[in-house]
Amino acid sequence: MSEQISFKEELDTSGLNCPLPLLKAKQALANLSSGDVLKVIATDAGSQRDFRSFAKLSGNELLHEEVTEQNYYYWLKKR
């Protein structure tokens, strides 16, 4: 599924621990237009909880999330 999701910007937060991946994603989303998609790459397992909660509370849509052996990927659509 992830190959089919087009995104406007990619943010690599590898190596950063909570809450930095989410804070950096918030900053990146602020610079995007409504409807744009931000792809975030993270290595912190806590980012799953953070991004799910953020999407619910902010109204931005978590289109998809994916987990590999080393990374967590999120596609956030700005409202």
Side-chain angles (χ1 to χ4, degrees):
M1 170 155 183
S2 59
E3 306 84 33
Q4 300 167 356
I5 300 174
S6 60
F7 53 90
K8 177 87 173 185
E9 189 174 321
E10 182 174 280
L11 176 66
D12 188 351
T13 64
S14 298
L16 299 178
N17 294 322
C18 276
L20 288 175
L22 182 59
L23 292 175
K24 293 202 171 281
K26 284 182 183 179
Q27 291 173 338
L29 280 171
N31 295 322
L32 296 178
S33 300
S34 181
D36 286 346
V37 175
L38 173 68
K39 177 183 177 183
V40 181
I41 303 165
T43 51
D44 183 10
S47 65
Q48 282 189 299
R49 179 191 61 244
D50 288 351
F51 278 94
R52 289 172 185 163
S53 296
F54 170 69
K56 285 180 185 160
L57 296 171
S58 68
N60 295 296
E61 185 180 354
L62 182 57
L63 295 175
H64 184 64
E65 61 181 285
E66 206 169 286
V67 180
T68 63
E69 284 186 25
Q70 295 147 0
N71 293 318
Y72 299 84
Y73 299 91
Y74 307 96
W75 285 263
L76 286 164
K77 184 176 183 180
K78 183 172 180 174
R79 65 176 164 108

